[in-house]
Amino acid sequence: MGAMPARARGPRVPYPAGGRLVPVTADGETIVVIEDDRNISDLVALYLRREGFRVLQAEDAEKGLAYVDRDRPKLVVVDIGLPGELDGLDVCRRLRSSGDVPVVMLTARDDEVDRVIGLELGADDYVTKPFSPRELVARVRAILRRAGAPNRTEPSVLEVGEIVVDTGRREVRQGETVVALTSREFDLLAYLAVNGGLALSRRQLLDGVWGEGWYGDERTVDVHVRQLRKKLGDALPLTTVWGVGYRLG
Ligand code: CA
């Protein structure tokens, strides 16, 4: 294991390409905020509206999901703790099974487990209460910048051992099988593949995949690596480089 270098067909270019400098134009784009604490919901909505977003506030999961269905928002902010049948993790799960709208979770300080589960379910980021609305807005902007960045990367097909990473189709194949990855898991794998053979620190991976505006926890990388290992098993020639981070190939 580990001897197989990533082999690039097509141009070898940084991934994702240059998108971080593209400004966000909020332009009345919709964000759904799902939070039962009225004060927090209003504060978040206030700050997002100031940025030019149209904000729909829902106090429970059912109403929030209905807004998502109806209004196709650019992003969803969801609190983990919600009243009623479904909590914030259920919301993440449902959003992931039906599309790839970015999700930011709000979590309580001692909710480490929920946070990890949320990231595994495909949430893009989280902020821990109490948070500053400014920080939340910064994260929302960073996510939308990435999501809205024109893809200037020439599509390429990277082979890593038995795994094929197709950045044009945003598809990962293992033999004939397409492996279902979340959007973030795909970005991480593609970034590792483009930099195949190099040991990358968690910080480098955060900067490269989550974006330099992302000032979250480095353990986020570990959570996503664990998911990649779970989904790709032994076919993934990914080595943990102690004291550094990870190396693919
Ligand atoms: Ca709550």
Side-chain angles (χ1 to χ4, degrees), residues 26-73:
D27 255 352
E29 285 168 339
T30 303
I31 293 184
V32 171
V33 176
I34 312 175
E35 161 66 288
D36 58 308
D37 184 324
R38 192 75 211 185
N39 290 331
I40 294 179
S41 180
D42 284 349
L43 192 64
V44 166
L46 175 74
Y47 273 75
L48 289 172
R49 287 191 182 115
R50 252 189 224 165
E51 296 284 309
F53 292 103
R54 167 175 176 253
V55 182
L56 298 174
Q57 294 171 258
E59 64 277 0
D60 62 40
E62 287 78 3
K63 196 167 168 193
L65 288 167
Y67 280 152
V68 172
D69 275 346
R70 196 192 65 192
D71 285 78
R72 303 277 153 207

Side-chain angles (χ1 to χ4, degrees), residues 124-164:
D124 290 82
D125 203 352
Y126 61 84
V127 291
T128 305
K129 290 180 182 177
F131 58 89
S132 91
R134 250 179 255 283
E135 179 189 350
L136 176 66
V137 168
R139 298 214 181 179
V140 165
R141 292 181 69 98
I143 288 171
L144 292 179
R145 219 158 29 229
R146 274 194 313 270
N151 189 359
R152 279 181 271 140
T153 310
E154 288 294 318
S156 60
V157 177
L158 302 147
E159 291 176 17
V160 191
E162 303 162 26
I163 296 169
V164 174

Side-chain angles (χ1 to χ4, degrees), residues 73-77 95-96 100-104 122-124 143-144 147:
K74 279 280 163 192
L75 184 139
V76 176
V77 176
L95 292 176
R96 265 314 143 260
D100 62 357
V101 59
V103 178
V104 178
D124 290 82
I143 288 171
L144 292 179

Side-chain angles (χ1 to χ4, degrees), residues 8-13 15 153-158 164-171 186 194:
R9 285 204 307 246
R12 207 175 164 83
V13 285
Y15 180 93
T153 310
E154 288 294 318
S156 60
V157 177
L158 302 147
V164 174
V165 181
D166 185 333
T167 66
R169 300 170 65 96
R170 287 186 67 79
E171 191 173 274
F186 179 87
V194 165

